[in-house]
């Protein structure tokens, strides 16, 4: 029974710490830091004459449906035209993407007829780079007008080597549960990124909008499933920070349905496991103690240990109650079963088009963790290819 109790409490603490405890600890540390050092103040916004040259790079595969909308958004950015280069890297596109882009002479199209994956496309684009900084965004995300100026402002801090913008998820119409669940997750994730950045560094950047100092770029393996995460974290490993800002944001519509969202989640989970191995030097607390603390707390546990701990927690709890462990363990088991019953009810709702945010939140939480296990299988079958499988958007 003692071994079961140790296992029970270890699993319970891991699950609690991963999803709530780290946020609480982070908040307390941030408040203490502000108490003694004050709230951080960034550099003033540079004038147009002071702004550095920048490339906005858009890696695309068969994006003919969004070319016009993306170009309208790009041309509306508040950044000096003589300092901004617009580059589309079309990786193996065989639709009308290149033909449509020809209507904009200000666009540089870097085309590869062979589809080799997003990481290879990024490398291709970086070889053609001629500006001081480069910002990456997806073809199906729209960024705010002042995003690039905000990115340029943050690069004035010499400790910063990468800027992570905020991802915002919208639903085209009310009741799109996949989009709303994803949006709720990203609101919490954005809060953690903001606090991570204030403590020291954000733990990775999302491909919807981020920027890097290209002089710090390190070769990312072509088979990388999370090229954006790897590229940004290599910069942290090299001793620079990832600054996070909600004032540069990219908005996209959520996945069309939960099946399409599952494609994204399993790929992210597989890429996370892949990244843990490639970034294993960051697990050494003697190299960068604060980075190791943030990296394990915010990333590693979610992508590896915690989903397993959730399964073990339920199984061990059932066994303990069967062996008569006591009232407390019975109450915890009842609460666990109630939570999973809510998740099951949320899953049923998605099948029949009904809506209850509480039930769906429980379902989406379980759904995310189940996709870590699906990600393990995905990594085994797709781990040698960086070609991306696009999820349909709403």
């Amino acid at each position: 029974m003692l071994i079961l109790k140790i296992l029970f409490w270890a699993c319970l603490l891991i699950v609690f710490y991963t999803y709530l405890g780290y946020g609480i600890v982070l908040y307390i540390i941030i408040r203490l830091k502000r108490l003694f050092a004050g709230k951080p103040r960034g550099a003033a916004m540079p004038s147009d004459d002071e702004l550095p040259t920048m490339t906005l790079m858009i890696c695309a595969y068969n994006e003919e449906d969004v070319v016009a909308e993306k170009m309208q958004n790009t041309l509306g950015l508040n950044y000096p035209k003589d300092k901004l280069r617009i580059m589309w890297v079309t990786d193996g596109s065989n639709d009308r993407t290149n033909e449509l882009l020809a209507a904009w002479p200000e666009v540089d199209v870097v085309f590869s007829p062979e589809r080799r994956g997003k990481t290879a496309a990024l490398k291709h684009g970086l070889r053609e780079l001629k500006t001081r900084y480069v910002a990456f965004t997806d073809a199906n995300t729209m960024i705010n007008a002042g995003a690039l100026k905000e990115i340029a402002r943050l690069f004035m801090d010499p400790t910063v080597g990468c800027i992570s913008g905020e991802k915002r998820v919208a639903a085209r119409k009310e009741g799109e549960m996949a989009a709303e669940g994803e949006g709720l997750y990203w609101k919490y994730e954005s809060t953690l990124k903001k606090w991570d950045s204030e403590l020291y560094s954000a733990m990775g950047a999302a491909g919807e909008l981020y920027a890097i100092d290209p002089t710090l770029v390190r070769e990312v393996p072509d088979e990388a499933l999370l090229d954006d995460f790897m590229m940004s974290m290599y910069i942290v490993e090299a001793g620079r920070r990832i600054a996070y800002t909600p004032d540069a944001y990219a908005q996209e519509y959520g996945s069309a349905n939960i099946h399409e969202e599952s494609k994204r989640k399993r790929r992210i989970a597989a890429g996370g496991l892949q990244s843990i191995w490639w970034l294993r030097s960051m697990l050494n607390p003697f190299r960068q103690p604060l980075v190791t603390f943030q990296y394990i707390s915010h990333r590693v546990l979610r992508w590896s240990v915690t989903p397993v701990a959730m399964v073990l927690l339920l199984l061990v709890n059932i066994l303990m109650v069967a062996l008569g462990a006591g009232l407390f363990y019975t109450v915890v088991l009842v609460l666990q079963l109630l939570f999973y019953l809510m998740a099951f009810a949320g899953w049923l709702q998605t099948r029949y088009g009904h809506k209850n945010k509480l039930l769906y939140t429980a379902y989406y939480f379980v759904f995310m963790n189940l996709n870590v296990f699906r990600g393990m299988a995905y990594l085994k079958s797709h781990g040698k290819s960086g070609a991306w499988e696009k999820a349909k958007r709403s």
Side-chain angles (χ1 to χ4, degrees):
M1 183 65 77
L2 178 60
I3 294 176
L4 289 177
K5 285 185 177 181
I6 292 172
L7 191 56
F8 171 88
W9 282 104
C11 291
L12 182 62
L13 289 173
I14 288 170
V15 174
F16 175 79
Y17 178 76
T18 301
Y19 292 108
L20 290 175
Y22 177 59
I24 294 170
V25 170
L26 201 54
Y27 176 76
I28 292 171
I29 295 174
I30 292 299
R31 298 298 294 183
L32 290 172
K33 186 178 178 182
R34 289 179 185 174
L35 183 64
F36 291 102
K39 198 168 183 178
R41 294 181 180 179
M45 184 65 71
S47 66
D48 284 3
D49 290 339
E50 297 171 317
L51 289 171
T53 56
M54 190 176 302
T55 294
L56 182 66
M57 188 185 297
I58 304 156
C59 291
Y61 168 70
N62 287 356
E63 296 287 4
E64 63 180 7
D65 293 339
V66 298
V67 166
E69 184 182 7
K70 181 64 177 180
M71 283 306 304
Q72 288 175 1
N73 174 254
T74 300
L75 294 176
L77 296 175
N78 182 17
Y79 207 83
K81 304 305 178 187
D82 62 327
K83 293 188 175 183
L84 177 62
R85 184 186 184 196
I86 303 168
M87 181 191 294
W88 282 69
V89 185
T90 57
D91 176 62
S93 291
N94 52 22
D95 65 351
R96 296 178 62 239
T97 298
N98 290 350
E99 179 185 339
L100 294 172
L101 286 171
W104 284 276
E106 55 269 80
V107 172
D108 292 327
V109 177
V110 178
F111 174 61
S112 172
E114 180 186 359
R115 189 184 178 199
R116 295 180 298 160
K118 190 174 181 182
T119 302
L122 285 172
K123 290 180 182 179
H124 192 178
L126 287 169
R127 287 195 296 269
E128 303 295 325
L129 198 64
K130 299 174 183 177
T131 56
R132 178 65 186 88
Y133 296 109
V134 56
F136 303 97
T137 184
D138 290 339
N140 64 341
T141 62
M142 306 302 142
I143 63 180
N144 62 305
L148 297 187
K149 278 193 172 181
E150 171 66 6
I151 286 170
R153 183 185 71 83
L154 291 174
F155 270 130
M156 294 177 72
D157 182 341
T159 68
V160 171
C162 175
I163 314 293
S164 174
E166 181 170 278
K167 174 181 176 178
R168 298 183 182 180
V169 180
R172 286 192 186 272
K173 58 182 181 292
E174 187 177 355
E176 289 182 344
M177 299 305 287
E180 291 182 6
E182 187 184 355
L184 180 65
Y185 166 77
W186 273 102
K187 286 178 183 177
Y188 178 63
E189 179 67 12
S190 295
T191 300
L192 290 183
K193 284 189 173 185
K194 184 178 178 181
W195 290 346
D196 268 335
S197 179
E198 187 172 342
L199 178 60
Y200 175 65
S201 171
M203 289 294 107
E208 286 75 15
L209 178 61
Y210 74 108
I212 60 171
D213 178 345
T215 65
L216 302 174
V217 168
R218 180 176 157 189
E219 190 84 355
V220 175
D222 282 349
E223 64 270 25
L225 297 171
L226 294 183
D227 50 272
D228 44 11
F229 181 77
M230 287 298 302
M231 192 174 292
S232 59
M233 288 302 286
Y234 276 152
I235 289 173
V236 176
E237 189 180 36
R240 296 289 187 92
R241 298 192 304 114
I242 301 172
Y244 174 80
T245 174
D247 294 327
Y249 60 86
Q251 182 164 300
E252 67 179 2
Y253 291 110
S255 301
N257 52 55
I258 205 67
H259 173 71
E260 295 298 321
E261 177 66 1
S262 181
K263 288 181 183 179
R264 292 183 63 257
K265 292 299 182 189
R266 72 187 180 195
R267 179 184 171 87
I268 290 171
L273 291 168
Q274 197 181 51
S275 301
I276 290 171
W277 174 249
W278 285 334
L279 296 171
R280 58 192 179 277
S281 64
M282 298 182 74
L283 300 176
N284 179 2
F286 297 104
R287 292 184 70 249
Q288 296 173 296
L290 189 53
V291 168
T292 299
F293 164 67
Q294 291 184 282
Y295 177 50
I296 292 175
S297 299
H298 195 163
R299 297 298 184 189
V300 175
L301 291 177
R302 287 191 193 185
W303 287 337
S304 58
V305 178
T306 303
V308 176
M310 285 180 62
V311 175
L312 283 176
L313 180 63
L314 179 61
L315 296 177
V316 169
N317 202 174
I318 291 172
L319 183 57
M320 291 178 72
V321 170
L323 294 174
L327 179 61
F328 172 79
Y329 297 98
T330 301
V331 171
V332 173
L333 178 59
V334 170
L335 291 174
Q336 283 200 79
L337 294 175
L338 179 61
F339 175 77
Y340 287 113
L341 183 62
M342 290 170 60
F344 179 71
W347 172 75
L348 286 178
Q349 285 194 325
T350 64
R351 292 181 62 86
Y352 296 103
H354 300 299
K355 177 182 178 182
N356 180 288
K357 284 192 175 181
L358 180 62
L359 297 180
Y360 189 81
T361 299
Y363 167 57
Y364 195 81
F365 180 81
V366 174
F367 164 80
M368 285 195 308
N369 283 280
L370 283 175
N371 274 285
V372 172
F373 294 101
R374 296 190 70 194
M376 294 175 185
Y378 185 93
L379 182 60
K380 186 176 180 180
S381 60
H382 294 72
K384 298 299 181 182
S385 171
W388 67 94
E389 180 184 9
K390 294 194 298 182
K392 295 177 182 177
R393 296 290 174 175
S394 60

